[in-house]
Structures are given as structure tokens and as C-alpha cells.
Amino acid sequence: MIRAVFAITLVSILLPGCQRETDGKLVELTGRIFVFNYRVATAKYLVTLRKLGPLPEGSTAVAEFENPKGGETLTTGEKIFAVDERIAIQSPHVQCVRKGHPYAVTIRILDTSGEVLQEIETSITSDVDQTVLPTKPLVIGPGYEANPEVFGTGGAADYGKAEACPT
């Protein structure tokens, strides 16, 4: 009997120490990259989050991304569902991404009334310039057919000219 009481006491002391400390955080940042899709000549931000516990029903994740071309920030949001353990947020297409430049990103977790439950500020730095992309999509349509604006007759290819970007 004493052994059982001792075992239960020991488990009740040690078990809370095995749990992760969330420091009041609802989500944590698990990934942040630029995604360059050469087939369709686009670039965008991609941020991933992991839920650390349940969120209020109807919560949303809203992200503000620095616009590499300059001007106003790019804002997008994702509804968070109870079954989702991971949350992925993609920006609209961006232009003028430069290698080695840190671009600011702010993510807010909001409840249904718009109250901020958590805010994460971070940055994303690309390891390549957007000049690696063609300026015209290489393929078009659902069958990924060669874009006739790029691939002309006789094997000639016109990948377009890079757009002027602020330095």
C-alpha cells in the first residue's frame, strides 16, 4: 500500500515536468521560406505554424508580408479549423525578391471578434534572387503545355526581360 502511494506521488510530481511549456503561446512558428515556381514564373512567401493547444472556434491567422517591390504590405489570412494541427499561410505572388535581404513578416492569431490572441514577428531571407525565374510562365493550362509566348517555332525561346526592381 505504501509503495502504491509512493508511486502515485512520484508520478504526480514528475509527470508535469514532462509536458511542454507553452509560455501562453497558442501557436509556434515552424517554417518560413520563399517558394519559387519556375514553371509558372511566380514567387511567394510560405509560413507554417503548429498549434500548441486548442484555439477558440472560428479563429484566424492573418499575416502581413513586406512587399519586396516596395509599397504597402501584402496581407492574407487563413481560417483555423479545430482538426488542423498545422497552419500554412501563403502570400500573394511577389516580385523583386533579393538574395540575402531580410523581409519582415507579422502573423496575428485572431478570435472571431478580431481580438489578437497572439502575435509573431519574424523575417524571411531568400538565398537566391528572383532573377532565377523567367518573367513569363513556361507552361500554361491544366496540361502544362509549353507557353507559345516563350517557346517559338524552330526551338527559339524568349524568357522575357527582368522587370526593374528597386535596389
Side-chain angles (χ1 to χ4, degrees):
M1 178 67 174
I2 293 177
R3 284 186 182 176
V5 171
F6 177 74
I8 291 171
T9 304
L10 184 61
V11 167
S12 65
I13 291 171
L14 296 177
L15 190 57
C18 296
Q19 296 176 356
R20 278 195 174 172
E21 291 294 322
T22 61
D23 298 326
K25 296 179 184 175
L26 301 170
V27 298
E28 70 178 351
L29 184 66
T30 56
R32 56 187 186 210
I33 61 171
F34 278 101
V35 177
F36 292 95
N37 186 332
Y38 71 93
R39 287 184 179 179
V40 292
T42 61
K44 61 175 79 173
Y45 290 91
L46 174 63
V47 175
T48 57
L49 307 169
R50 183 175 68 88
K51 287 185 358 186
L52 298 175
L55 294 171
E57 188 69 31
S59 296
T60 56
V62 175
E64 292 180 357
F65 301 96
E66 180 180 347
N67 188 342
K69 193 172 181 177
E72 293 191 27
T73 58
L74 306 168
T75 304
T76 188
E78 291 291 327
K79 185 171 179 174
I80 302 171
F81 297 97
V83 297
D84 295 338
E85 290 301 316
R86 302 204 186 290
I87 304 156
I89 308 168
Q90 294 184 45
S91 73
H93 298 305
V94 295
Q95 296 175 327
C96 301
V97 176
R98 293 183 318 203
K99 176 182 180 178
H101 179 82
Y103 294 97
V105 178
T106 302
I107 304 147
R108 291 180 185 86
I109 305 300
L110 308 173
D111 66 11
T112 55
S113 68
E115 182 179 334
V116 177
L117 302 173
Q118 183 180 346
E119 181 172 295
I120 299 170
E121 291 187 9
T122 188
S123 65
I124 301 177
T125 304
S126 178
D127 58 354
V128 295
D129 280 323
Q130 192 163 348
T131 56
V132 300
L133 289 177
T135 57
K136 298 177 184 177
L138 301 180
V139 294
I140 57 173
Y144 289 107
E145 296 178 30
N147 185 348
E149 291 182 26
V150 175
F151 302 104
T153 58
D158 175 15
Y159 298 108
K161 296 185 181 187
E163 184 176 319
C165 290
T167 55

